[in-house]
Amino acid sequence: MEWLLIPFEVSFVQRALVAGVLVSAVCAVVGTWVVLRGMAFIGDAMSHGMLPGVAIASLTSVNLLIGAAISAGVMALGVTALGRSRRLSEDTTIGLLFVGMLASGVIIVSHSRSFAVDLTGFLFGDVLAVGSGDLVGLAITLLVVGAVALAGHRSFTALTFDVRKAHTLGLRPRLANAVLLGLVTLTIVASFRVVGTLLVFGLLIAPAAAALFWSRRITTIMLIAALLGIAATVGGLLVSWHWGTAAGATIAAGAVLLFFLSAFLSFVRQRFRSLTPEIESSR
């Protein structure tokens, strides 16, 4: 049992664990709506669309969070504006913005001598280098996301399952969609510097998608997603410590593995339920 506890006796691993728990909680709340609304592609585009702002901020010695926020804001406005076009589908406009922003970021970063290091840090972050200030920022993000999600729960639910009913009830689905997009942006911007865009997107999608196999109640899905995200964080940090793998990527891989495990166990459960009546009738 010592091998389970030894890594968490180290201070920087403890901070990484707290950061992972906070990110898991934030991503569970926002990720549930992302999965239910079918916004996974938007989340991926938003996470990688921040690269131009991060690159410019890095080259000009500006706070990376400011650059990320501006770039993500431009991406969100572009998705909203182009989404009104009737000639182009939403996934087409998102794909174009995604490629354009990512390509622009790579071009800008390629002028820097530390190109490989900068891009690696952007994708994978450095969860083992989390400081107390980063933890405070994540805690504030969790409070803001939780408050907005609680206040907008009814509107988000109506937007997800019946847009026409949302209009009828006066819940302003366009505003709800904009707020939801804002939550996705906030989650990614607040978390990427700590854990990288790969881990943020992995914890945003995989735990919530896995939770759908076990519940249809939104609040329960969020709770299960948070627990799965925390499990992926703990498991990822343990594997990273003992096997010397990249912590952020290992946590993201763990979240994806939990999704496939949930899918498999759900299939086995459904198969067993379908066979039970046949077994009972044969007695």
Side-chain angles (χ1 to χ4, degrees):
M1 291 296 293
E2 290 186 1
W3 68 277
L4 287 173
L5 301 176
I6 288 177
F8 301 106
E9 294 177 355
V10 183
S11 58
F12 66 82
V13 180
Q14 293 173 358
R15 289 193 296 271
L17 176 61
V18 175
V21 170
L22 291 173
V23 172
S24 296
V26 173
C27 289
V29 175
V30 179
T32 296
W33 294 116
V34 169
V35 172
L36 291 175
R37 285 273 297 144
M39 297 173 62
F41 190 29
I42 293 180
D44 187 28
M46 291 293 296
S47 62
H48 291 84
M50 294 187 304
L51 184 56
V54 173
I56 294 175
S58 178
L59 294 175
T60 57
S61 299
V62 176
N63 190 303
L64 296 182
L65 289 179
I66 296 176
I70 293 175
S71 188
V74 171
M75 186 76 181
L77 289 174
V79 170
T80 302
L82 293 178
R84 296 178 180 178
S85 174
R86 296 181 179 179
R87 295 186 177 182
L88 296 175
S89 62
E90 186 179 35
D91 60 336
T92 299
T93 59
I94 294 172
L96 290 172
L97 287 169
F98 172 34
V99 174
M101 295 288 281
L102 184 59
S104 299
V106 172
I107 291 172
I108 295 171
V109 175
S110 64
H111 286 283
S112 172
R113 295 179 180 178
S114 57
F115 168 77
V117 176
D118 290 343
L119 189 57
T120 300
F122 173 77
L123 291 174
F124 303 106
D126 192 356
V127 69
L128 296 179
V130 172
S132 57
D134 297 316
L135 297 180
V136 172
L138 288 173
I140 293 174
T141 300
L142 177 58
L143 291 175
V144 173
V145 167
V148 174
L150 182 62
H153 182 81
R154 189 180 177 210
S155 297
F156 295 156
T157 303
L159 174 68
T160 300
F161 297 106
D162 195 337
V163 177
R164 292 183 180 180
K165 187 175 182 179
H167 274 293
T168 303
L169 296 175
L171 296 177
R172 305 177 66 181
R174 286 187 179 180
L175 177 61
N177 188 66
V179 172
L180 191 55
L181 188 59
L183 287 181
V184 175
T185 303
L186 174 62
T187 300
I188 293 173
V189 170
S191 305
F192 94 94
R193 188 176 182 181
V194 177
V195 293
T197 58
L198 177 66
L199 176 55
V200 172
F201 187 66
L203 290 179
L204 192 67
I205 302 301
L212 284 177
F213 289 110
W214 307 107
S215 178
R216 287 295 179 266
R217 186 180 177 85
I218 294 176
T219 53
T220 305
I221 293 173
M222 291 180 179
L223 177 59
I224 295 174
L227 294 176
L228 290 174
I230 293 172
T233 299
V234 174
L237 289 174
L238 283 172
V239 172
S240 174
W241 176 272
H242 291 292
W243 290 3
T245 59
T250 306
I251 293 172
V256 175
L257 285 175
L258 286 176
F259 165 78
F260 285 111
L261 178 61
S262 294
F264 174 73
L265 292 177
S266 177
F267 171 78
V268 172
R269 182 184 62 173
Q270 292 178 358
R271 184 65 177 171
F272 177 77
R273 286 181 177 178
S274 64
L275 291 176
T276 300
E278 296 179 7
I279 297 175
E280 293 294 334
S281 62
S282 62
R283 291 181 178 179

